[in-house]
Amino acid sequence: MRPGFNYKHLHYFWVVAKEGGMASAAERLDVAVQTVSAQVRELEQALGHALLKPAGRGLALTEAGEAALRQADQIFQLGEQLPDVVRDAATQPALRLAVGISDGLPKMVVHRLIMPVLAEPGLRLLCHEGGFDELLAELALHKLDLVLSDRPAPVNANLKLYSHALGGSELGWYAPSALAAAARKGFPQSLAQVPVLLPTAHATVRVQIDTWFARHGVRPNVVGEFEDSALLKTFGAGGMGVFPAALLVHDDLLEHYRVKPVGGCDGVREQFYAIGTERRVQHPLIRRLVEAAEG
């Protein structure tokens, strides 16, 4: 924008365009017609293009004027919203926490990990789910305060990210009531006969599960694979198959999904991390999450 540009001049032009003429605009603005005309001329000089042209007894917009009007509409619409935005900002909670949640992380576990800060007075929690790499990019751009994931941030000289361990959980096998008895009989070899649901390879724990099957000599009867852990549990609870889940949320699984425990998944452990941009955590809420996990 050229140095001579002035938003007051733009406002006069905007009113002229809306009213369809200088006289009507002057009446609405409660100023002289000459004042309106002078303000619009100064705007045209600043922009370097004519915005209005004669049309019969009135004025019409040039192509440049049409473009200017579209921008002015947006500018002054935002201006009208400004008092509300400022009022809302002034009355909003003092502590904001924007969390990126890796799509492979169990949602019940996410809730458990965030619980230490949920009682914070005036907390405003913003949760965004996405792919691991996408979330790390948003974190590096400071669009997020932290990322919760089942893996630490990779070493990358261009991204200064730090992983803070939040603990982990052993896995167990769960089944809907209709499959529970068959799944328990001869477990874990029974998983070669009953339908089995698994997380897709994008989940870090999938490699451990595959190794567990190999160690027990079981070729599972896999009927479904899910990127989203909540979908996996929903389909499993709906009768589609036996599925693995973190023992950390055992009670929640039994209460919310009405499933039955089948057996353990010995040696398979899911790890959880908070990834941030600080080696030494400064954000008070993130620090509380890390300290809760350490304690």
Side-chain angles (χ1 to χ4, degrees):
M1 194 67 68
R2 298 186 179 186
F5 178 79
N6 184 300
Y7 282 95
K8 183 177 181 180
H9 300 162
L10 179 64
H11 183 250
Y12 275 61
F13 158 75
W14 182 64
V15 175
V16 170
K18 293 295 184 182
E19 295 293 329
M22 295 283 182
S24 298
E27 183 177 351
R28 175 175 165 181
L29 293 166
D30 194 24
V31 297
V33 174
Q34 294 84 350
T35 301
V36 176
S37 178
Q39 299 275 6
V40 172
R41 280 199 306 273
E42 289 189 41
L43 176 65
E44 291 176 324
Q45 291 171 4
L47 296 174
H49 296 280
L51 303 178
L52 300 167
K53 61 184 179 182
R57 295 184 177 180
L59 295 171
L61 294 169
T62 63
E63 289 188 9
E66 293 282 1
L69 178 60
R70 286 193 294 271
Q71 292 299 110
D73 282 337
Q74 295 182 44
I75 289 170
F76 293 116
Q77 182 179 13
L78 289 173
E80 291 173 358
Q81 296 170 0
L82 182 59
D84 292 336
V85 170
V86 171
R87 184 190 65 248
D88 291 344
T91 57
Q92 279 177 356
L95 281 178
R96 172 184 178 275
L97 184 64
V99 182
I101 300 168
S102 180
D103 53 15
L105 201 60
K107 305 307 178 292
M108 285 184 168
V109 168
V110 172
H111 182 259
R112 184 67 61 89
L113 295 177
I114 296 178
M115 276 184 66
V117 303
L118 293 182
E120 176 67 28
L123 169 69
R124 186 185 182 195
L125 179 65
L126 305 175
C127 290
H128 173 63
E129 184 180 12
F132 184 63
D133 292 337
E134 169 200 348
L135 294 176
L136 292 188
E138 292 188 2
L139 178 64
L141 293 173
H142 302 289
K143 294 181 179 179
L144 298 171
D145 295 313
L146 83 158
V147 169
L148 295 178
S149 178
D150 60 351
R151 71 198 73 179
V155 177
N156 187 326
N158 297 319
L159 294 177
K160 298 298 183 183
L161 301 178
Y162 302 94
S163 302
H164 308 279
L166 296 180
S169 173
E170 303 291 335
L171 262 62
W173 291 93
Y174 296 85
S177 298
L179 293 174
R184 288 171 181 157
K185 188 176 182 179
F187 176 84
Q189 279 67 33
S190 60
L191 299 181
Q193 282 78 46
V194 297
V196 172
L197 307 182
L198 294 176
T200 59
H202 88 296
T204 304
V205 76
R206 175 59 187 271
V207 174
Q208 295 185 58
I209 294 173
D210 290 342
T211 301
W212 182 85
F213 279 126
R215 189 168 69 248
H216 288 279
V218 176
R219 181 174 292 181
N221 177 27
V222 180
V223 299
E225 297 181 62
F226 298 82
E227 286 192 358
D228 186 284
S229 63
L231 277 179
L232 185 151
K233 295 178 181 67
T234 299
F235 276 80
M240 187 175 180
V242 182
F243 60 92
L247 293 177
L248 178 68
V249 292
H250 173 85
D251 293 340
D252 293 331
L253 282 168
L254 301 190
E255 179 181 354
H256 294 289
Y257 288 95
R258 307 296 182 186
V259 292
K260 306 292 185 182
V262 172
C265 198
D266 52 292
V268 179
R269 183 175 176 81
E270 194 167 17
Q271 298 295 139
F272 313 122
Y273 297 90
I275 303 173
T277 56
E278 304 166 334
R279 183 186 299 274
R280 185 175 181 181
V281 179
Q282 300 298 320
H283 192 298
L285 298 184
I286 300 176
R287 188 165 62 246
R288 191 181 305 171
L289 293 180
V290 175
E291 290 173 351
E294 293 175 346

